[in-house]
């Protein structure tokens, strides 16, 4: 399974970015897709995850600002990030799993930098 993420970049605080991640090379159903991020000096953390059944979870720091969605037919997940803060800066990784929730597969990260 290959996960191709796109949409990262540099944005000013208060701005918005949209990330997308498409899964390919799979012959089985992808149930879970999600976004994780890794800030300098910090552990990788959940940003948002969504199952094919519609369960959604967000990291506490992004609730109310970020929205995750997916197109099951295209095995693509999106992350709409609004009201970005400098502390949102990091490398954002896409993850997927055949199970309802998990990180069996990882994509290469995409850098998000929020300037103050």
């Amino acid at each position: 399974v290959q996960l191709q993420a796109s949409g990262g970049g540099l944005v000013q605080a208060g701005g918005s970015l949209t990330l997308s991640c498409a899964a390919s090379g799979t012959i089985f159903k992808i149930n879970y897709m999600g976004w994780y991020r890794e800030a300098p000096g910090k552990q990788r953390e959940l940003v948002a995850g969504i199952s094919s059944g519609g369960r959604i979870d967000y990291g506490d720091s992004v609730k109310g600002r970020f929205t995750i969605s997916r197109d099951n037919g295209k095995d693509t997940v999106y992350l709409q990030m609004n009201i970005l803060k400098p502390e949102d800066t990091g490398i954002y990784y896409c993850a997927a799993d055949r199970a309802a929730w998990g990180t069996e597969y990882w994509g290469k990260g995409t850098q998000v930098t929020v300037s103050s």
Side-chain angles (χ1 to χ4, degrees), residues 1-44:
V1 176
Q2 290 82 44
L3 299 175
Q4 183 65 49
S6 61
L10 173 64
V11 64
Q12 288 188 332
S16 298
L17 280 175
T18 301
L19 305 182
S20 63
C21 174
S24 63
T26 176
I27 60 173
F28 44 78
K29 181 180 180 180
I30 293 291
N31 273 303
Y32 171 84
M33 298 190 80
W35 291 96
Y36 294 74
R37 70 185 179 194
E38 197 169 299
K42 295 186 177 181
Q43 290 187 329
R44 192 172 297 187

Side-chain angles (χ1 to χ4, degrees), residues 62-82:
V62 306
K63 288 179 180 177
R65 299 187 296 121
F66 291 10
T67 302
I68 190 170
S69 61
R70 67 185 286 171
D71 183 332
N72 288 328
K74 296 181 179 179
D75 279 338
T76 299
V77 64
Y78 306 94
L79 184 69
Q80 176 65 45
M81 304 185 291
N82 297 326

